[in-house]
């Protein structure tokens, strides 16, 4: 259903350092970078699916209350690694890795990037 997701930033250099580390823990890599945007994709994907960009209208990027991007994690260890990398790279813990009440195998963590955008890494496997 989703083609791509775009998140705003007020500091692209800072965002790149954060996303390279956090998304790298999930094996997502930066496929495109220029002075206004960076795009990330999974191995084998033909296009970037997560974009971080300075707003087109040149106004400050702001956070949408109630908005969140949930990223697929192949294992619970990947969720743990994502959380650790995100926090070590300037992100803010918004929910440590662990099981959530959504269903028996919903293992997730929540962080905010340096601009305040909320991200989650989720594994729905038993380990």
């Amino acid at each position: 259903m989703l083609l791509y997701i775009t998140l705003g930033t007020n500091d692209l250099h800072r965002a790149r350092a954060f996303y390279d580390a956090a998304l790298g823990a999930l094996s997502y890599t930066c496929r495109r970078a220029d002075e206004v945007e960076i795009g990330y994709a999974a191995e084998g994907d033909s296009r970037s699916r997560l974009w971080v960009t300075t707003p087109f209208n040149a106004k400050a990027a702001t956070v949408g209350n109630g908005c969140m991007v949930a990223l697929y994690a192949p294992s619970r260890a990947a969720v743990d690694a994502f959380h650790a990398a995100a926090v070590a790279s300037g992100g803010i813990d918004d929910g440590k890795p662990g099981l959530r009440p959504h269903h028996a195998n919903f293992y997730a963590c929540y962080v905010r990037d340096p601009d305040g955008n909320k991200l989650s890494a989720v594994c729905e496997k038993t380990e």
Side-chain angles (χ1 to χ4, degrees):
M1 178 197 296
L2 298 174
L3 184 62
Y4 63 87
I5 296 169
T6 302
L7 298 171
T9 185
N10 293 304
D11 184 335
L12 198 60
H13 179 73
R14 178 186 67 186
R16 171 91 191 251
F18 172 82
Y19 281 97
D20 281 357
L23 296 182
L26 299 176
S27 298
Y28 301 135
T29 58
C30 184
R31 296 279 183 83
R32 179 171 172 192
D34 60 30
E35 62 279 351
V36 297
E37 64 187 359
I38 47 180
Y40 292 85
E43 184 178 331
D45 201 340
S46 62
R47 66 188 317 158
S48 294
R49 302 290 178 173
L50 177 66
W51 291 90
V52 182
T53 183
T54 57
F56 180 75
N57 66 5
K59 294 184 180 182
T62 58
V63 177
N65 189 28
C67 297
M68 180 182 70
V69 174
L71 303 163
Y72 169 79
S75 66
R76 292 181 181 188
V79 172
D80 296 345
F82 169 84
H83 184 269
V87 172
S89 300
I92 298 167
D93 171 40
D94 209 22
K96 296 192 181 327
L99 289 169
R100 301 297 194 263
H102 308 300
H103 65 70
N105 294 321
F106 196 96
Y107 188 86
C109 70
Y110 303 91
V111 298
R112 295 217 178 241
D113 75 5
D115 288 289
N117 295 302
K118 190 171 183 178
L119 306 168
S120 176
V122 180
C123 175
E124 296 182 291
K125 298 177 182 176
T126 57
E127 47 184 77

